[in-house]
Amino acid sequence: MTNEFDYYDLVRDDRLHSWVYTHPVIFEDELQRIFYRWWVFIGHASEVPEPGDYALKMIGRQSIIMVRGDDGALRLLLNRCRHRANAVCQSESGNSNFFRCAYHGWTYRNTGQLTGVPFPQGYADDFSKDQMGLTAVPRVGEYRGFVFGSLSPVGIAFDEFLNDRTRRIIDNFLNASPVGDIDARAGVSKHEYHGNWKFVGMDGYHPAFTHAAVDELMRQRGDEGLRHTWSEKSTARTWDFGNGHTRLDQSSNKPPLDEVSKRLSATSAGKDYLAAMRAEYGDDAESAVQGAEDPHIGIWPNLQIIGVQIRVIHPVAADRTVVHTYPTLLRGVPEEINRERLRRHEFFYGPAGFGTPDDYEMFERNQIGLNCEVDPWLIVSRGQEREVRHEDGSISGNITDEVPQRAQMKQWRYVMTLEDDANDLPREAEAARPVRKNPR
Amino acid sequence: MDVRPRTDADSVTGVIEVIEPGKEMDLGTDMVEKSADGAIANRLDWAGLEKFVRTEAAYADANRYDEWLALWSADARYWVPLSDDADPKTHHNMIYDDRSKLEDRIHRLKSSHAHSQTPPSRMVRLLSNFRHSIEGDGEQSVADVEANFMLIEIRNGRQTLYGGTFCYRIGLEGGELKMRQKKVLLVQNSSVLGNLTFIL
């Protein structure tokens, strides 16, 4: 799909044009070029632990069955009968040996293989069931239970997409479990807002203002308010990890480690948890617990790991987004530890939480403002002059700086202009692109 | 009768008109039967329960946060699960407030920083298909009341229709009816939801 937009003109290093968030043609182009081509997060392996377990997922408008076959392998299959395209799976999740199309009775194994076609005499001799299984997502990548897929058979390798720095943060998140594993089956909340999908960004500038009500509650209770972490004076940092992956790193703001042991030792469940962690991590038990707190990482384009949750961003339209949130449970810990984890999550997140609805309110107000196009530019230059470039190519900045916004949109521009037959185009070639005029 | 929802203008000026229950509107009093000498009869009956539930609905509709909060017991549980049978030990909820968090929720709603309720939702809810059962005697008696509901909510020009079942557990505290639990089973609880920061 081609269009007349020049994404290098709309996405500049210090500013973004409103159309990037409002234009329906650009939105369709995003589905084609990003969601139907790049790596996107699909789901967590713990959702389908047993042979036959499946969960219905979406990539843009495409329905995907994440299923563990009888052979134990996890697959991503398109929810489309090979005959006349009927969706073969209707339930959000379940366990099944077969997916049977109700329209004409074609039947597939949970491995995707076509096993039954009614009245097969009607097909010519060269009709082969072996060639007509449910179509698999061309590329699947899994890292420690996090399952990604790409609808393009070619492109950046999974290992390169999910780079070292990003993988290390996932490792830290899982280290809160003595067996290094999580369970994403604590329910999913599906929360919609009338705004563009890219607003679910990674923003360290907003908390003290957007979440002033939470800040007030915290201070009233004698806790440090949000400004301890989320202000220009904070030692917390924003990061650009490359490939559009970003992080709000609060690790420098954590209390001393003996407070972790003190907190956990206050309850018998906490003591059991600490003992299990000690058995696995030795003297590093407390730092493993603390290091797992709020990874606050955005894995571009559609995954975030924030607090205890896996958050998946689903673009619906230029001005409409659905976010699926899966708070995770730790494996190998007392039930009370997970219960506390869930209650902590409920405080801030979800459609009736004290935090997320105010974020989404901001995104909706953004969308209103964006339609005022006389001066169409959004400014993302904050901290551009003081960001630090590291040896491995990553960039960091003050927690209030717009390092993540620039990182995500730089990646957006790169992927949106990547030629279909040149997914591995070197980034240096970016600058050489001809500038086209944007249509009015 | 002035059952006035908090309006846009209120949130700008920060002034919320407080209507004394029982003065301009007949809500919030008389929920417990009194004997001839004025003493409170320590018992629940259907007439009292029905009035209590209707009052609760009216306060919620009108965003009368303090009066709504005053209907709750000390062991309050305000609960909106993501599925009808989700176990809160192993599953998260949209709302799972104990008394302290419920107070935080109301504090937040009353502050000038609750952006997702600025302007506030306008609501009207219809309650129907009441069922109830009462157990125990005197101060120890507890009633379970269920009612199906339809709730129309409008905010920023967007109208949303919610439906489901309100499940109340109502007991006596100091001789007054108090809500010990309100569990809201939304028919759309496992579907995509928008801003649910108003009182359900």
Side-chain angles (χ1 to χ4, degrees), chain A residues 295-364:
Chain A
H296 230 111
I297 188 169
I299 298 175
W300 196 86
N302 71 331
L303 167 66
Q304 298 190 334
I305 307 173
I306 295 182
V308 305
Q309 81 200 269
I310 294 170
R311 185 190 271 187
V312 193
I313 303 156
H314 293 285
V316 177
D319 59 357
R320 206 143 173 169
T321 305
V322 172
V323 180
H324 288 191
T325 299
Y326 304 78
T328 61
L329 305 174
L330 299 174
R331 288 196 197 272
V333 310
E335 190 183 84
E336 291 88 337
I337 299 295
N338 279 326
R339 217 183 298 169
E340 192 272 335
R341 210 171 147 90
L342 294 174
R343 299 296 90 84
R344 195 150 31 96
H345 173 83
E346 285 160 357
F347 173 81
F348 198 89
Y349 300 100
F354 293 177
T356 316
D358 288 338
D359 284 322
Y360 293 2
E361 176 71 15
M362 292 306 118
F363 303 161
E364 297 198 348

Side-chain angles (χ1 to χ4, degrees), chain B residues 168-194:
Chain B
Y168 310 84
R169 171 153 280 216
I170 298 164
L172 287 158
E173 201 174 81
E176 285 185 50
L177 297 197
K178 293 285 180 190
M179 196 151 57
R180 297 178 61 182
Q181 177 161 294
K182 183 183 185 186
K183 184 175 179 182
V184 182
L185 301 176
L186 283 169
V187 288
Q188 52 268 80
N189 56 16
S190 56
S191 308
V192 174
L193 286 157

Side-chain angles (χ1 to χ4, degrees), chain A residues 128-376:
Chain A
S128 162
K129 284 195 291 190
D130 294 344
Q131 304 300 312
M132 297 295 276
L134 292 173
T135 306
V137 169
R139 292 187 300 157
V140 180
E142 179 178 342
Y143 182 72
R144 300 194 67 179
F146 289 78
V147 179
F148 296 79
S150 163
L151 291 175
S152 165
V154 295
I156 181 174
F158 180 63
D159 285 353
E160 198 189 327
F161 157 76
L162 198 69
N163 55 23
D164 282 347
R165 296 203 75 132
T166 307
R167 281 199 297 267
R168 209 171 312 147
I169 305 304
I170 294 178
D171 292 341
N172 289 347
F173 182 57
L174 301 178
N175 280 349
S177 155
V179 297
D181 201 9
I182 52 171
D183 189 333
R185 290 172 297 171
V188 51
S189 71
K190 302 165 193 158
H191 194 172
E192 176 185 58
Y193 64 86
H194 288 228
N196 189 269
W197 65 276
K198 296 186 290 301
F199 293 138
V200 193
M202 239 332 113
D203 184 280
Y205 195 9
H206 81 291
F209 312 100
T210 301
H211 304 304
V214 169
D215 179 58
E216 196 177 283
L217 280 176
M218 288 168 78
R219 283 186 288 112
Q220 205 175 45
R221 184 194 288 172
D223 294 347
E224 272 163 335
L226 289 171
R227 278 168 205 249
H228 176 66
T229 300
W230 311 103
S231 75
E232 197 166 44
K233 287 182 193 152
S234 163
T235 56
R237 303 284 288 172
T238 48
W239 282 93
D240 167 357
F241 284 169
N243 293 340
H245 308 326
T246 57
R247 186 184 185 211
L248 305 182
D249 177 7
Q250 305 147 65
S251 54
S252 62
N253 266 44
K254 296 282 168 69
L257 286 177
D258 53 359
E259 285 193 21
V260 175
S261 14
K262 211 187 295 174
R263 173 165 55 84
L264 290 177
S265 303
T267 64
S268 72
K271 278 181 200 153
D272 291 348
Y273 174 39
L274 193 55
M277 289 296 283
R278 182 88 61 220
E280 192 56 37
Y281 299 94
D283 292 342
D284 295 331
E286 285 88 350
S287 80
V289 171
Q290 194 172 77
E293 282 169 13
D294 196 10
H296 230 111
I297 188 169
I299 298 175
W300 196 86
N302 71 331
L303 167 66
Q304 298 190 334
I305 307 173
I306 295 182
V308 305
Q309 81 200 269
I310 294 170
R311 185 190 271 187
V312 193
I313 303 156
H314 293 285
V316 177
D319 59 357
R320 206 143 173 169
T321 305
V322 172
V323 180
H324 288 191
T325 299
Y326 304 78
T328 61
L329 305 174
L330 299 174
R331 288 196 197 272
V333 310
E335 190 183 84
E336 291 88 337
I337 299 295
N338 279 326
R339 217 183 298 169
E340 192 272 335
R341 210 171 147 90
L342 294 174
R343 299 296 90 84
R344 195 150 31 96
H345 173 83
E346 285 160 357
F347 173 81
F348 198 89
Y349 300 100
F354 293 177
T356 316
D358 288 338
D359 284 322
Y360 293 2
E361 176 71 15
M362 292 306 118
F363 303 161
E364 297 198 348
R365 293 181 190 184
N366 249 25
Q367 204 69 30
I368 294 168
L370 283 164
N371 289 327
C372 308
E373 291 188 355
V374 175
D375 178 8

Side-chain angles (χ1 to χ4, degrees), chain A residues 82 106 114 117 123-133:
Chain A
R82 290 294 298 281
W106 286 36
L114 179 65
V117 174
Y123 290 99
D125 290 345
D126 61 352
F127 179 88
S128 162
K129 284 195 291 190
D130 294 344
Q131 304 300 312
M132 297 295 276

Side-chain angles (χ1 to χ4, degrees), chain B residues 150-171:
Chain B
M150 263 171 41
L151 165 61
I152 293 170
E153 185 247 1
I154 296 185
R155 186 169 176 272
N156 285 344
R158 215 148 69 213
Q159 177 178 306
T160 314
L161 181 63
Y162 295 94
T165 305
F166 290 140
C167 309
Y168 310 84
R169 171 153 280 216
I170 298 164

